[in-house]
Amino acid sequence: MSFQEQIHDVAQLACVELFTPKFEESFWFFHDVLGMTPTEDDGKSCYLRGYEDRYHHSLKLTRSDKAGIGMVGWRASSPQALERRVAAIEASGSPGKWVEGHKGYGKAYEFTTPDGHKQHLFWEVEYYEAPAEMKSKLLSRAQKRPLRGVPVRRLDHVNLLCSDVTKNGKFLQDNLGFLKRENVVFGGQDELAAWFSVSPLVHEVAFTKDQAGPGNRLHHVAFWYGNQGQMLDLADILQEYDVTIEAGPAKHGVSQAYFMYVYEPGGNRIELFGDTGYLIFDPDWKTLTWDESNFFNGGGVWFGGELPQDFFVYGTPIVEAAMAEAEETGAVTEPAE
């Protein structure tokens, strides 16, 4: 009996970079509303983290002329694991390059997904050191819980829009050891969405078919609370301060997680994750496939209302003409979480 042994060389999603054309407003959202702590601002980017993120930052917020995602950062499980994954990527026919000088982590291997999403893989990281007044009595907590906003605890996952879900997912599976946890296939045709992880989490990254653009875009970045009740408090605050809630609070069938999707002022979609959903400890997990027979009966939304049409076509950078055409022609199929 042949069994494909799991590769444990990528440890976790460590950080993401978001572009924003409205830096001050976006900073207000992440700092004042989501309660994230800034660690540094170099004039081009501000580096922030949730109160249980252990590294220098989990969010790099970069001033730009348009919204979107700049980079997704992954930590390897060891220096040797980093070298093994670099060797695999270079042998894949799509080699990257070594880069240095990035804040918060050391030498990194920069590569792209088949669609062009920039990724960094690294081992060395700078750990966050809380000032004395912010040190928590909980030894496992990187800092005190902030008395600001409804604070997120940590970065959870990223969902990337792409032109070919299967191709992009296979690149991560073959070269980095990601496992496909769930996917959506309609009509026995191409995958519309798939969710991948390197840990017991249901997903640290998802790929969704870009139905209104060329791919290489962002669907959303998600931050984790650990308590779905906090999302109700946050929804009340967002309504009060005119931050657009796109969907939720509600619960997904895929991942089983409580969610709320909002637009931060710069235009990027942000998901607030109320809990972990379910965890996967089975080493022989088989991908769960949703199709048109069950996705609309609890897959997309288990309870809490329907997802709006824009949820399936909007991404950043915005492709307005393509979005309008997709919505007018009805050339939109649903899944993305």
Side-chain angles (χ1 to χ4, degrees):
M1 177 181 178
S2 63
F3 180 81
Q4 182 63 48
E5 187 175 6
Q6 184 180 354
I7 301 167
H8 293 281
D9 284 352
V10 179
Q12 67 177 132
L13 174 64
C15 58
V16 297
E17 179 183 22
L18 284 180
F19 295 144
T20 174
K22 298 180 179 180
F23 178 81
E24 297 300 331
E25 294 92 332
S26 293
F27 178 82
W28 166 82
F29 173 82
F30 290 108
H31 177 265
D32 289 29
V33 180
L34 298 193
M36 299 186 76
T37 299
T39 54
E40 192 170 348
D41 190 323
D42 61 13
K44 182 178 180 181
S45 302
C46 182
Y47 302 81
L48 303 102
R49 40 176 297 288
Y51 68 92
E52 290 192 350
D53 282 317
R54 306 199 66 81
Y55 305 150
H56 175 271
H57 67 278
S58 57
L59 173 63
K60 179 181 179 181
L61 188 64
T62 297
R63 299 161 174 88
S64 180
D65 61 348
K66 61 180 65 175
I69 191 159
M71 178 277 302
V72 180
W74 303 93
R75 193 179 187 198
S77 57
S78 69
Q80 298 88 342
L82 174 59
E83 295 295 337
R84 287 193 293 269
R85 291 309 98 212
V86 169
I89 294 169
E90 293 192 335
S92 73
S94 301
K97 62 182 180 181
W98 288 101
V99 295
E100 296 185 76
H102 290 270
K103 295 185 185 298
Y105 54 90
K107 184 178 180 182
Y109 191 73
E110 181 178 289
F111 62 98
T112 64
T113 64
D115 248 48
H117 295 101
K118 185 189 295 184
Q119 315 283 309
H120 282 181
L121 181 63
F122 46 82
W123 162 246
E124 295 180 351
V125 296
E126 177 183 340
Y127 284 89
Y128 173 73
E129 289 289 339
E133 68 276 11
M134 288 303 296
K135 287 187 180 296
S136 174
K137 290 184 289 186
L138 278 174
L139 300 185
S140 57
R141 183 172 283 174
Q143 67 168 79
K144 289 179 179 177
R145 176 175 168 167
L147 295 173
R148 182 180 64 250
V150 184
V152 295
R153 294 170 72 166
R154 62 166 173 79
L155 175 66
D156 191 85
H157 67 264
V158 60
N159 188 315
L160 304 173
L161 291 171
C162 65
S163 59
D164 187 323
V165 171
T166 302
K167 183 178 181 180
N168 282 269
K170 193 172 188 305
F171 179 85
L172 294 190
Q173 291 174 279
D174 292 348
N175 298 303
L176 295 171
F178 279 77
L179 299 176
K180 187 188 297 185
R181 303 307 200 172
E182 301 192 42
N183 68 350
V184 178
V185 179
F186 284 178
Q189 301 298 312
D190 295 338
E191 288 181 299
L192 295 173
W195 292 262
F196 302 85
S197 73
V198 290
S199 74
L201 295 175
V202 179
H203 65 309
E204 285 121 337
V205 62
F207 286 110
T208 297
K209 175 73 174 178
D210 192 346
Q211 300 179 73
N216 190 19
R217 298 198 299 150
L218 173 69
H219 190 271
H220 67 263
V221 171
F223 294 92
W224 183 70
Y225 282 101
N227 181 349
Q228 58 265 36
Q230 290 177 269
M231 294 163 57
L232 300 177
D233 292 333
L234 183 62
D236 189 55
I237 290 174
L238 294 176
Q239 283 290 99
E240 193 77 76
Y241 287 89
D242 298 321
V243 176
T244 301
I245 298 174
E246 182 185 44
K251 181 176 180 176
H252 283 309
V254 175
S255 81
Q256 291 193 43
Y258 286 83
F259 70 85
M260 180 166 58
Y261 293 96
V262 307
Y263 293 120
E264 60 88 12
N268 296 298
R269 180 188 285 110
I270 303 297
E271 182 180 13
L272 291 315
F273 234 42
D275 63 5
T276 309
Y278 67 92
L279 298 174
I280 300 171
F281 299 103
D282 179 1
D284 195 23
W285 181 265
K286 304 296 192 298
T287 303
L288 306 178
T289 297
W290 298 82
D291 58 27
E292 52 270 73
S293 72
N294 53 24
F295 183 81
F296 300 108
N297 186 27
V301 178
W302 183 242
F303 62 77
E306 296 301 315
L307 296 168
Q309 187 74 4
D310 278 356
F311 183 80
F312 304 103
V313 293
Y314 181 90
T316 49
I318 299 169
V319 184
E320 294 180 352
M323 274 187 63
E325 181 180 352
E327 291 176 331
E328 287 175 6
T329 61
V332 175
T333 45
E334 292 221 347
E337 273 139 41

